[in-house]
Every structure is written in C-alpha cells, then in structure tokens.
Amino acid sequence: MTQPQQSPGGMSPSLRRWVPPPALAGFLVLLGLMFCLSYVIGASAGPVAPGMHSSGTGAAPESGSPGPHGHGGAGGNRTGGAR
C-alpha cells in the first residue's frame, strides 16, 4: 500500500494555505513593536505644545481679536504695504 504524501513542514495543505509567509509575519511583528515603542516615547515626552487649546466653539474669531493660536483674526488691522 502507498502511504499518503505529506507536505513539507508536517502541516496539512488546508492549514498551510492560511499561514502567512515568514517575512510578512516578521514585518507585521516589527511594525507592531515600532508602533508600541513610538507610543511609549510619545506618552513619556508629553504634549508638544502644553499651552495650546482649541477654542471649543467652532465659530470664527472676531475681526482683530486673538485667534485660537494667539494671532490676530481674519481681517485684523493689517495694512497692505510693507513697513
């Protein structure tokens, strides 16, 4: 009698079909580790600009009043010429 032929690696053909290539699995593991590492570094560094807050209203600032970043609003009191 003939013995059933096994695929290399000792896995059944249906199971082997669902296993990703080793290079892809390694890339995904490395990508996950890099994401976790960058998250930990970012969390330990803290906010980039601690004093920066959103206006919360969503409305445009009044003409000449400071905007959400401390700059003059649209229109302001600018002059057209160079100084």
Side-chain angles (χ1 to χ4, degrees):
M1 296 211 146
T2 61
Q3 295 179 356
Q5 194 175 18
Q6 290 186 354
S7 63
M11 288 190 230
S12 68
S14 62
L15 180 63
R16 187 163 178 82
R17 219 174 81 198
W18 296 103
V19 175
L24 178 62
F27 173 75
L28 292 175
V29 167
L30 184 62
L31 187 66
L33 286 173
M34 293 299 289
F35 175 77
C36 291
L37 181 66
S38 65
Y39 180 81
V40 167
I41 290 172
S44 67
V48 175
M52 191 158 86
H53 301 286
S54 65
S55 62
T57 61
E62 295 177 15
S63 179
S65 67
H69 302 294
H71 301 290
N77 49 7
R78 278 193 221 169
T79 59
R83 294 182 187 190

